[in-house]
Amino acid sequence: MSEQTERPTRLKVIVADDQAAVREPLAAVLGLAEDIDVVAAAADGAEVLAAVAAGPVDVVLMDLRMPVLDGIETTRRLTEEHPEVAVVVLTTFADDDSILGALGAGARGYLTKNAGRQDITRAIRAAGAGQSVLDREVQNRLLATARAKAAPAPGEASRQPLPDDLTPREREVLTLIGQGLSNRGIAEQLFISEATVKTHINNLFAKAHIRDRADAVRRAIGAGLA
């Protein structure tokens, strides 16, 4: 009996942007990818929630500044009500409030509208696989914010200890996260696969009780690794 070639799973994606001139061409371009189906294009957060409820949906590509219901509140509601749906923010805004607000609400990725089509499709695929992708500008902002917050107060210990049972590789991965590298960047730096990087990150986060990537940056800085 001959083996049948398994067709790749196609990600079901919603494109949300209040400007039709952005939303419609973006939906059309993403729809050309062989593994992406754009199942809806939404002009505001309320339309996103309605489309997700009609489902199924894997990823929402989310603008932040939209009428009726903005992107951060929509992300928060999706995280609470539909945690299986990943959110990737695509916005012109890269200020601390927008970045931290979106990531705090549960967004898995954050890109600015300077991102190219390949960057956007890569972020959608990563989010669909449970990974996070931040563009370089956003990583740099997070790193600067984390460094400021991690600076010790007078009389406070300058370094935050890490668990003794971290492996050398897990420490390497934490160091590279602290330097702002993405999973792909870490994989290239260490000559390992992104899947292996994800395994190391999961183990690292569990051992060190790290909540998210921003927290990992803070811990790396506090431990003197970045």
Side-chain angles (χ1 to χ4, degrees):
M1 188 167 119
S2 62
E3 273 188 24
Q4 290 186 342
T5 303
E6 195 173 309
R7 295 183 63 185
T9 301
R10 295 175 66 86
L11 291 168
K12 296 174 175 58
V13 175
I14 294 173
V15 175
D17 196 294
D18 64 329
Q19 298 182 41
V22 174
R23 181 177 69 246
E24 293 172 4
L26 185 55
V29 168
L30 291 176
L32 297 175
E34 63 179 10
D35 57 345
I36 292 175
D37 283 328
V38 177
V39 296
D44 57 59
E47 290 185 8
V48 170
L49 294 178
V52 169
V57 175
D58 298 306
V59 181
V60 177
L61 188 63
M62 185 89 72
D63 189 21
L64 289 186
R65 307 294 168 89
M66 297 185 293
V68 185
L69 196 64
D70 68 27
I72 290 178
E73 181 57 27
T74 305
T75 299
R76 184 174 292 110
R77 293 196 191 182
L78 287 175
T79 300
E80 292 173 355
E81 300 168 13
H82 301 277
E84 74 283 0
V85 177
V87 173
V88 175
V89 169
L90 180 65
T91 181
T92 57
F93 302 96
D95 58 281
D96 288 352
D97 287 344
S98 297
I99 295 169
L100 295 176
L103 296 179
R108 270 190 209 155
Y110 197 112
L111 304 175
T112 64
K113 288 184 178 175
N114 293 326
R117 179 173 63 89
Q118 289 185 337
D119 295 324
I120 296 171
T121 54
R122 186 182 303 124
I124 288 172
R125 290 167 183 145
Q131 301 170 11
S132 297
V133 173
L134 308 175
D135 74 14
R136 177 59 62 180
E137 182 180 358
V138 171
Q139 288 178 27
N140 289 341
R141 291 298 295 257
L142 276 177
L143 188 56
T145 301
R147 285 185 186 280
K149 288 184 177 180
E156 187 180 23
S158 60
R159 296 186 185 275
Q160 183 177 2
L162 292 168
D164 293 334
D165 60 346
L166 288 188
T167 67
R169 181 64 91 190
E170 287 161 0
R171 285 180 175 272
E172 281 184 298
V173 169
L174 182 58
T175 299
L176 295 174
I177 290 174
Q179 293 172 3
L181 271 67
S182 65
N183 285 9
R184 175 184 286 266
I186 294 170
E188 292 173 351
Q189 184 82 10
L190 299 180
F191 301 102
I192 56 179
S193 70
E194 287 188 61
T196 302
V197 171
K198 186 179 177 185
T199 297
H200 287 312
I201 289 174
N202 288 340
N203 293 338
L204 164 66
F205 280 24
K207 289 180 181 178
H209 304 290
I210 294 173
R211 297 186 303 276
D212 52 33
R213 211 170 187 92
D215 190 30
V217 172
R218 288 192 289 270
R219 293 293 300 276
I221 295 166
L225 298 179

